[in-house]
Amino acid sequence: MSKRMSFADRPTFTSRDVRAGCFVCGGTDPLWIGGHAQGVAARHHDATKHQTWTDVYMAIRYGEYAVDDRQTDIEDAIASASSGDRPVAAPLPGNDAPTVTAAGVSAPQGRSSKHALTAAEPEIQTP
Ligand SMILES: [Zn+2]
């Protein structure tokens, strides 16, 4: 949902994203999306006395999309930092300080990674 208006030579783009839900029925997951979402949330509260919520995100953009020169500068900075120029590092402590030996060692491999993968899978949402 996006529309374009033009004032003089200033193109303006707005888009609105409306999401609503019920803390009782769906927690913070949106149950209703779009222009009717707020009204549905209000009527759902009327009917059930559940606490419902509506979030509106409105984005406004002025001007046409153009290549941002600053982005190129950032990429150049990253490229020069990773190739050639030494990164700025904190001075190392004296010889009497303990040496951090675990810095380059990867995490222990003892546990199976299957459990972690299962836990990371997103929940299937059924409306
Ligand atoms: Zn509800």
Side-chain angles (χ1 to χ4, degrees), residues 22 24-25 44 48 50:
C22 172
V24 177
C25 298
H44 183 76
T48 64
H50 291 168

Side-chain angles (χ1 to χ4, degrees), residues 8-69:
D9 59 347
R10 182 207 304 149
T12 303
F13 301 85
T14 63
S15 69
R16 205 184 320 249
D17 182 22
V18 183
R19 293 161 185 265
C22 172
F23 287 115
V24 177
C25 298
T28 55
D29 293 332
L31 299 176
W32 310 289
I33 297 174
H36 69 292
Q38 182 180 357
V40 175
R43 289 197 301 274
H44 183 76
H45 166 77
D46 293 343
T48 64
K49 299 306 175 192
H50 291 168
Q51 186 183 26
T52 59
W53 58 269
T54 302
D55 288 351
V56 180
Y57 171 77
M58 188 164 80
I60 304 172
R61 302 291 182 266
Y62 298 114
E64 303 279 359
Y65 174 81
V67 175
D68 190 344
D69 292 338

